[in-house]
């Protein structure tokens, strides 16, 4: 298509999808997506996906991909998950504000590793952290990370 056809194509994009398209274009341009979504009524999810190498073009073998997801679940409370995928494997960071949630994460750590390995993902490390209330995934820590 020609440049003259671009406005006509954009005009045909349904209005509710235009902000999403703008976010996707921005993410491709600067390597960061930060948004909030609502998978079901009353459940807000904050999601950050960042390519620390963007917009530069890194060597394919050195590419690192990061994503961070923060949400509040009915039985677990505020939780956050950080994933870093690199050529050496997957690093997982789990945090929660409730001691019972963190204990559950620790108890299920082996099953998580097995599931990721079954999906052909090499697990580099899993870190589990108890964070201060309001700090799940925001760097606040009531205790040091449990890295295994």
């Amino acid at each position: 298509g020609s440049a003259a056809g671009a406005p006509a194509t954009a005009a045909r994009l349904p209005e509710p999808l235009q902000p999403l398209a703008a976010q996707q274009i921005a993410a491709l341009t600067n390597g960061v997506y930060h948004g909030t979504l609502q998978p079901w009524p009353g459940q807000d999810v904050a999601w950050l996906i960042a390519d620390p190498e963007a917009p530069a073009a890194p060597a394919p073998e050195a590419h690192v991909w990061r994503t961070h997801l923060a949400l509040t679940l009915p039985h677990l409370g505020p939780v956050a998950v950080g994933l870093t995928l690199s050529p050496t494997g997957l690093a997982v960071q789990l945090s929660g504000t409730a001691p019972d949630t963190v204990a559950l994460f620790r108890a299920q750590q082996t099953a998580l590793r097995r599931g990721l390995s079954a999906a052909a993902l090499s697990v580099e490390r899993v870190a589990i952290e108890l964070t201060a209330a309001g700090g799940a995934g925001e760097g606040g820590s009531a205790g040091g990370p449990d890295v295994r």
Side-chain angles (χ1 to χ4, degrees), residues 96-146:
T97 61
D100 289 347
T101 298
V102 172
L104 179 64
F105 288 165
R106 289 183 177 139
Q108 295 300 317
Q109 185 173 194
T110 300
L112 174 64
R113 285 178 174 273
R114 262 192 249 120
L116 292 170
S117 294
L121 291 167
S122 172
V123 180
E124 194 172 274
R125 69 182 170 86
V126 174
I128 300 170
E129 182 176 30
L130 177 64
T131 56
E138 297 174 8
S141 175
D146 177 16

Side-chain angles (χ1 to χ4, degrees), residues 6 21 23 27 29 34-35 37 46 51 53 56 75 78 86-88 90 114 120 133 136:
Q23 285 179 337
T29 303
H34 187 228
L37 57 111
D51 180 352
E53 304 297 325
H75 299 290
S86 70
T88 59
L90 179 68
R114 262 192 249 120

Side-chain angles (χ1 to χ4, degrees), residues 13-35:
L13 186 63
E15 191 171 327
L17 295 179
Q18 290 175 6
L20 179 61
Q23 285 179 337
Q24 290 176 344
I25 291 168
L28 289 171
T29 303
N30 64 25
V32 175
Y33 168 80
H34 187 228

Side-chain angles (χ1 to χ4, degrees), residues 17 36 47 52 55 60-61 69 72 74 81-82 84-85 87 101 113 115 126 128 142 147:
L17 295 179
T36 302
W47 193 2
E61 66 276 358
L69 186 68
T72 301
V81 179
T84 302
L85 184 60
T101 298
R113 285 178 174 273
V126 174
I128 300 170
V147 180

